[in-house]
Amino acid sequence: MLSSLLTVAAYAGSAIALNNGVGKLLKMGFDTFNAFVCDYDEVKVLVQAEAMVKYGLVAAGYNSIILDDCFTLKNRSVDGKLVEDPAKWPNGLKHFTTAINKMGISASAYSDAGYNTCAGYPGSYGYEAQDLETWTEWGFDYLKYDNCFIPFDNVTQENIYGRYERMANAIAAHARKTHSQPMWLSLCEWGWQQPWIWGKRLGHSWRINGDIKPWWSSLASIIDQASFQYWSSDFYGHNDMDMLEVGNTGQGNPIGNLTYEEAKSHFTAWALLKSPLIIGTDLSNATKETIEILGNQDLIKINQDPNIGEAISPFRWGINPDYVSNSTHPAQYWSGNSSYGIVFMVLNTEDKSADMFFNLTESWAIRAGHLYSVYDMWSHTNNGSALRNISLTLPPHGAAALLLNDAGPEPNADTLNLPYCAGYWQCSFPNGTYYSN
Ligand code: GLA
């Protein structure tokens, strides 16, 4: 009886983020999978590392490389140890991780909470502690942990939470034993079982969707999903919207299958929704546009805000008259707070250009009766000040990213012939008579 009570208590605890000293801010880096699947080796990944340095991406904050699926052999050694693939790492993995460390880049590993990884390499179920030792020995400090090939229920007698908890416990135990910083844990269970509720107890980020594809409909459906889960991201725990498909996806187009405007919208949404910024494209011959987008310092600094961890949130959902969204037309009007001002993202989810309009006070973060200076985080220019509202025209699938700062009380409403209040439906005169616009 006592033990079942204790179990209930453990599961019913409030979802406090895993503040174990790592992962307060979002991870930024490059991941091998979407660019190369399993077709990579030391030479190819070092080319990526060099490109990250050359194009200023390391300086911009992209300081890790995740070796995703397929970096070991398909079989463990007789003593159960993971074996590095000598064809991929002729000088050994430790040599590779040391080489990228010297370039200012840390190394991240990938494994799985089941028997195998999604591509059929050894998973870590039952080998959690041993694998952790091995990755540490090889020089990894971060783990992306997937959810394929899970054992039968009568074997695990656990749910997804429990299988991820095995690794989280192993990480905590290893850090205690070795007096070292705990490994950073990124959960990859694709949003199956509401990881936005429990993911933060065990790890630092959790995927909220299946694998991203480099086309607009995929981005739109991920943004739609995020419009319901934005509240879960904060310091030490983040919704992971999957990799950035800005750039050469190996599918023939220099900005992937995305238009330039779509690629900008993609980066805007991922940065401001506080997703990890993990590049999933081949950087070896990156175009100027790719680097401009991935390197947008105005957006990166909000993504990496050391004082405010929360994401932007929608203040209108969808484009339908009832504001209900769907996966092709996610929320278009979003705002939030940052150390640098109030952030707005306006997204045109239509396939044609559209006139967009919002009242400033639709955002919770705005002070009524004040003017706001407007800074455009894509043109990097100050665009005067906004009085009451903002109108803009956006290209198909385009986005605006604006930073507003309080510029003092607005001029006298009578002189400007303005309504006495922007949200007039609840305003009243001192005598209690409702004001109607
Ligand atoms: C899953 C993950 C991907 C990638 C692959 C590797 O599909 O969601 O991000 O890690 O596995 O096989």
Side-chain angles (χ1 to χ4, degrees), residues 31 33-34 37-38 66-70 110-112 117-121 144-148 188-190 207 209-213 240 242-243:
D31 180 302
F33 190 75
N34 287 16
V37 192
C38 294
I66 302 172
L67 296 183
D68 205 295
D69 217 334
C70 322
Y110 162 95
S111 189
D112 189 285
T117 69
C118 299
Y121 289 74
K144 171 174 172 180
Y145 208 42
D146 221 328
N147 192 36
C148 283
C188 183
E189 67 87 273
W190 322 295
R207 283 271 295 277
N209 48 272
D211 290 5
I212 191 170
K213 301 288 174 219
D240 177 353
D242 205 3
M243 290 171 232

Side-chain angles (χ1 to χ4, degrees), residues 69-349:
D69 217 334
C70 322
F71 69 91
T72 64
L73 287 182
K74 285 211 166 160
N75 290 310
R76 292 175 179 273
S77 69
V78 280
D79 54 0
K81 199 174 171 188
L82 290 169
V83 185
E84 50 198 321
D85 181 345
K88 286 196 165 105
W89 318 105
N91 303 301
L93 269 166
K94 181 66 187 162
H95 181 267
F96 165 77
T97 59
T98 309
I100 62 170
N101 288 168
K102 287 195 185 132
M103 301 161 85
I105 302 173
S106 66
S108 305
Y110 162 95
S111 189
D112 189 285
Y115 293 127
N116 293 322
T117 69
C118 299
Y121 289 74
S124 297
Y125 183 77
Y127 292 91
E128 289 85 356
Q130 186 176 9
D131 289 354
L132 207 50
E133 301 259 351
T134 310
W135 297 318
T136 310
E137 197 181 291
W138 287 339
F140 295 105
D141 66 4
Y142 172 109
L143 174 65
K144 171 174 172 180
Y145 208 42
D146 221 328
N147 192 36
C148 283
F149 295 105
I150 53 176
F152 294 152
D153 294 356
N154 67 345
V155 176
T156 65
Q157 305 198 23
E158 295 277 17
N159 210 332
I160 293 177
Y161 180 95
R163 290 190 300 276
Y164 277 104
E165 192 181 34
R166 294 168 63 97
M167 184 50 87
N169 288 344
I171 289 174
H174 184 265
R176 269 196 308 273
K177 190 174 94 192
T178 56
H179 304 287
S180 58
Q181 182 146 289
M183 192 157 295
W184 184 320
L185 181 61
S186 146
L187 313 175
C188 183
E189 67 87 273
W190 322 295
W192 273 13
Q193 242 179 28
Q194 308 91 47
W196 40 86
I197 305 288
W198 52 266
K200 58 184 65 172
R201 298 184 199 174
L202 307 180
H204 302 96
S205 59
W206 47 86
R207 283 271 295 277
I208 61 166
N209 48 272
D211 290 5
I212 191 170
K213 301 288 174 219
W215 44 78
W216 180 255
S217 58
S218 171
L219 306 186
S221 74
I222 297 171
I223 295 170
D224 187 48
Q225 173 75 331
S227 76
F228 299 100
Q229 317 306 353
Y230 63 84
W231 48 268
S232 181
S233 279
D234 209 331
F235 292 136
Y236 299 104
H238 312 276
N239 291 319
D240 177 353
M241 297 161 75
D242 205 3
M243 290 171 232
L244 295 163
E245 293 300 308
V246 176
N248 182 3
T249 57
Q251 305 194 21
N253 179 333
I255 349 187
N257 289 17
L258 304 177
T259 65
Y260 177 58
E261 294 301 333
E262 288 170 341
K264 281 164 55 188
S265 300
H266 179 15
F267 192 75
T268 305
W270 266 237
L272 299 181
L273 273 154
K274 302 273 168 102
S275 173
L277 298 177
I278 309 292
I279 300 166
T281 51
D282 181 354
L283 293 169
S284 51
N285 285 305
T287 59
K288 174 167 108 322
E289 290 82 2
T290 296
I291 301 307
E292 177 217 332
I293 294 172
L294 294 174
N296 183 323
Q297 274 305 310
D298 283 325
L299 290 169
I300 291 174
K301 83 177 186 203
I302 292 171
N303 181 266
Q304 298 287 311
D305 193 329
N307 308 307
I308 293 176
E310 70 214 31
I312 53 167
S313 56
F315 54 86
R316 287 187 221 162
W317 272 261
I319 58 167
N320 303 318
D322 60 359
Y323 294 154
V324 171
S325 72
N326 59 44
S327 61
T328 44
H329 292 293
Q332 300 196 113
Y333 296 91
W334 307 65
S335 78
N337 203 1
S338 85
S339 295
Y340 314 99
I342 297 157
V343 179
F344 282 82
M345 174 172 83
V346 186
L347 189 66
N348 174 15
T349 61

